[in-house]
Amino acid sequence: MRAITAKWFETAVRYERQSEDGMQKKVTETYVVDAFTFGEAEEVITKEMQGFVSGEFEVKNITPATYGEIFFSDKENDDKWYKAKVTFITMDEKTSKEKRTSTNYLVQASTFNAAVKNVDEVMGTTLSEYVISNISETKIMDVYEHRLQSKATAADDKPEYEAAEEGKKEDK
């Protein structure tokens, strides 16, 4: 298991897919992307879906995810995504009362029980006392992490405004 913290966006995309009977059918599916802005989220999901879509493609909705961390499984058969609500239990030192704080996570697993196990595997490394308050299967099809550019490409990259300025100078 590996846990990735980032700014995640849930994107709903609508496109035509060939069904089992050979007919074209419009479907709407949800994907999660790692992005800094709504615009970047739309750009990422459009690029990621290009290889899978022929025909009409539309980004129907983009919403910031209610979780900041995703637990990725290394197991090949873990093909579903579960939303887990974990409640952390701490003691308020001033009042000596129990304080509960909830956090949502997205967990990759093959079954409900595997999702619980995966949450326990990651959370077991923390020193905090916690309770899994809720786990539910989502309709998320896949998660796309941010891809860093290679150093060779990144070194040659210039912001658009600098490239435009150089182009103007060369034209003169």
Side-chain angles (χ1 to χ4, degrees):
M1 291 296 303
R2 62 188 172 92
I4 305 292
T5 302
K7 186 171 183 181
W8 302 101
F9 287 88
E10 290 185 3
T11 61
V13 297
R14 184 169 176 81
Y15 64 97
E16 288 185 2
R17 181 182 358 158
Q18 190 169 351
S19 61
E20 292 176 10
D21 62 1
M23 300 293 293
Q24 291 286 69
K25 180 181 176 184
K26 283 194 176 191
V27 295
T28 302
E29 297 176 336
T30 303
Y31 295 86
V32 175
V33 297
D34 174 7
F36 292 111
T37 64
F38 286 88
E40 184 182 6
E42 182 176 17
E43 182 181 331
V44 168
I45 194 60
T46 301
K47 282 181 184 177
E48 292 290 348
M49 295 300 293
Q50 278 179 340
F52 304 107
V53 175
S54 60
E56 288 186 40
F57 171 81
E58 182 180 9
V59 178
K60 296 294 284 180
N61 192 24
I62 300 174
T63 55
T66 59
Y67 39 85
E69 195 165 3
I70 297 180
F71 303 158
F72 290 91
S73 173
D74 300 325
K75 297 177 183 168
E76 198 171 304
N77 64 335
D78 287 350
D79 60 349
K80 296 178 185 170
W81 293 95
Y82 293 84
K83 190 177 282 189
K85 182 178 181 179
V86 177
T87 302
F88 295 96
I89 304 165
T90 57
M91 292 298 285
D92 187 336
E93 292 180 18
K94 292 179 183 176
T95 62
S96 297
K97 289 186 179 180
E98 201 174 81
K99 181 180 175 185
R100 293 177 175 257
T101 308
S102 295
T103 304
N104 292 316
Y105 298 97
L106 191 63
V107 183
Q108 188 177 22
S110 58
T111 64
F112 176 86
N113 290 337
V116 172
K117 182 181 174 216
N118 290 349
V119 170
D120 282 335
E121 182 179 325
V122 174
M123 300 311 296
T125 62
T126 67
L127 298 175
S128 300
E129 187 178 338
Y130 70 93
V131 173
I132 300 173
S133 305
N134 186 25
I135 292 187
S136 57
E137 187 176 344
T138 68
K139 293 186 178 201
I140 294 170
M141 300 299 289
D142 208 351
V143 174
Y144 296 107
E145 297 178 68
H146 190 73
R147 293 193 185 131
L148 295 175
Q149 293 179 339
S150 68
K151 288 184 180 181
T153 307
D156 295 338
D157 278 353
K158 293 183 180 176
E160 288 179 28
Y161 67 88
E162 284 183 15
E165 290 295 320
E166 285 182 8
K168 288 179 186 176
K169 289 178 186 175
E170 291 174 7
D171 290 343
K172 291 183 179 177

